[in-house]
Amino acid sequence: MKSRIVLPLVVMGTLGAIALAGCKPKAKAEAEPPAAVAPASATAASAAAAPVVAPAEVKPFDVTSVPMSTAALPPFPFFELPAGAEGYHQDAKDFDRAWVIAGEELRAVEGRTSERWFPVSAANMSMLSAFRNYEATIKSLGGVRVDKVHPLDPAFIARNGGDKEALLKKLAIPNGHVTAPDETPSFSQYLVRTPKGNIWIALFFFDDDLNMSIEVVQEQAMEQKVALLKADEMAAALAKDGHIALYLNFDNDSDILRADSKPAIDEIVKMLSADGSLKVRVEGHTDNIGTSARNIALSRARAESVVKAISTLQISKDRLKPEGFGSGRPLADNTSEEGRAKNRRVELVKI
């Protein structure tokens, strides 16, 4: 069995103060005549006529610009937490979508994910020592830093919808906060290219407590674990048990149905078309990650999305009743990812 890499402790010395010399303005060779001042009305008209400039597009990041790593990788998620930090936030999923910064581009990637963070004080480390420990270990695996823009950069935010809080949420930055760009270190994104797929690693610090986060995504295809139920099988289950659990795929923390859920929606439509008297309650259920209020709202929104998808295929909404129960009716223990995955479901209940 391969062992995990244990981070070495970096011994920090006293940092000397660095004086920043101000730049002197370059003297002009001779005085210039004052520029002509346009009338106020002309200036206002010119400003009103100025076209709105769209956010500049950036060149897509070339993954092949990063050399292929030849290092032997330890088991996922590749890094140990330092002593004292083990009891803090840890979350992992066998398959999910995550967002990374590649060059100046925001990029969606899918695969196995790990999200961990801890207060650096709990590990008796400074921000700088924690950052340098992880960066050194990432580089030892062949990782290359690939971010060319900070998440708080106004141009980056404008290019990606203009909503700072939504953007930081995509990047899995807790509470929507990340330390400012002038604080070193703040945010860094790395890529490890391997013959078996890309590995993306983000390091960042957030909130006043100086929490460090380590986000890892190992790109890979989803392993299909749920077989598609046919319309007649659904009908038989409803007739026998009165309800049936379906595992439809939504965007992360969203009510948007993914395209791979369409075959299941089509089978539901076939079942309802075959029995015009059948009415069902469409129930949304979540795991226990997040607040109760948020989970209830999300589960209700997902149930409504399923109803909308069905009703657009000529099934009357009068036969469908959406409800959201959040995490209140779990099918399995929420302490494991396997259990949480079983609890994230949509149920059809005969009414």
Side-chain angles (χ1 to χ4, degrees):
M1 179 182 294
K2 295 181 180 177
S3 61
R4 296 180 186 269
I5 289 183
V6 180
L7 292 173
L9 289 179
V10 176
V11 179
M12 301 300 299
T14 302
L15 297 178
I18 301 175
L20 298 178
C23 296
K24 295 182 179 179
K26 184 177 180 181
K28 295 184 179 180
E30 57 184 46
E32 296 178 356
V37 178
S41 58
T43 303
S46 175
V52 177
V53 180
E57 294 186 1
V58 298
K59 182 179 179 181
F61 178 75
D62 181 10
V63 173
T64 61
S65 64
V66 174
M68 191 74 71
S69 173
T70 58
L73 300 181
F76 184 89
F78 313 117
F79 313 104
E80 295 282 4
L81 292 176
E86 299 90 342
Y88 292 89
H89 178 84
Q90 300 186 49
D91 188 26
K93 294 181 173 64
D94 290 336
F95 183 83
D96 204 352
R97 176 179 295 167
W99 297 83
V100 301
I101 296 180
E104 295 185 62
E105 173 190 1
L106 181 68
R107 175 177 294 198
V109 295
E110 295 184 346
R112 192 175 183 185
T113 65
S114 169
E115 173 188 307
R116 296 180 292 173
W117 58 258
F118 62 91
V120 292
S121 59
N124 196 28
M125 303 174 82
S126 67
M127 287 176 63
L128 190 58
S129 64
F131 170 75
R132 287 187 175 172
N133 269 278
Y134 276 99
E135 183 178 55
T137 307
I138 293 169
K139 288 182 177 179
S140 74
L141 299 180
V144 175
R145 185 168 179 177
V146 296
D147 59 299
K148 300 296 183 185
V149 65
H150 191 276
L152 297 181
D153 183 278
F156 178 70
I157 295 172
R159 286 196 304 272
N160 293 285
D163 187 332
K164 183 185 76 171
E165 298 301 321
L167 178 59
L168 295 182
K169 186 176 181 180
K170 276 187 174 182
L171 291 167
I173 296 177
N175 305 321
H177 299 106
V178 63
T179 50
D182 57 351
E183 295 184 31
T184 303
S186 176
F187 179 96
S188 53
Q189 181 84 63
Y190 303 85
L191 171 60
V192 182
R193 287 186 66 215
T194 77
K196 294 184 178 181
N198 299 322
I199 299 167
W200 301 86
I201 305 160
L203 306 178
F204 57 84
F205 295 84
F206 65 94
D207 285 347
D208 295 334
D209 294 332
L210 301 182
N211 295 298
M212 182 178 194
S213 181
I214 306 101
E215 314 281 350
V216 180
V217 185
Q218 184 174 26
E219 284 193 68
Q220 59 187 33
M222 183 185 74
E223 178 185 353
Q224 183 65 36
K225 295 181 177 180
V226 180
L228 176 65
L229 282 175
K230 298 298 184 181
D232 56 347
E233 295 171 327
M234 290 184 190
L238 283 176
K240 178 183 176 183
D241 303 319
H243 64 93
I244 184 171
L246 303 175
Y247 292 88
L248 307 175
N249 290 325
F250 296 84
D251 282 353
N252 187 38
D253 196 31
S254 168
D255 61 347
I256 298 176
L257 266 169
R258 295 187 184 177
D260 55 7
S261 293
K262 189 177 185 307
I265 295 295
D266 290 341
E267 293 300 318
I268 297 173
V269 171
K270 289 179 185 178
M271 175 188 70
L272 293 170
S273 298
D275 183 355
S277 65
L278 179 60
K279 297 182 179 181
V280 294
R281 185 167 63 246
V282 181
E283 298 181 353
H285 299 270
T286 70
D287 58 27
N288 68 345
I289 302 299
T291 66
S292 176
R294 170 57 183 161
N295 285 334
I296 289 174
L298 178 61
S299 62
R300 168 78 186 197
R302 287 180 169 178
E304 289 174 346
S305 288
V306 173
V307 168
K308 181 179 179 181
I310 295 171
S311 61
T312 57
L313 298 175
Q314 299 182 337
I315 298 296
S316 173
K317 279 189 176 182
D318 295 339
R319 301 172 62 191
L320 307 164
K321 182 182 179 181
E323 287 194 31
F325 293 95
S327 59
R329 299 183 179 182
L331 294 180
D333 194 332
N334 276 301
T335 58
S336 69
E337 172 52 29
E338 183 179 358
R340 290 193 293 271
K342 192 171 184 179
N343 293 332
R344 296 190 294 267
R345 69 196 188 279
V346 171
E347 287 200 14
L348 301 183
V349 180
K350 187 176 180 179
I351 55 178

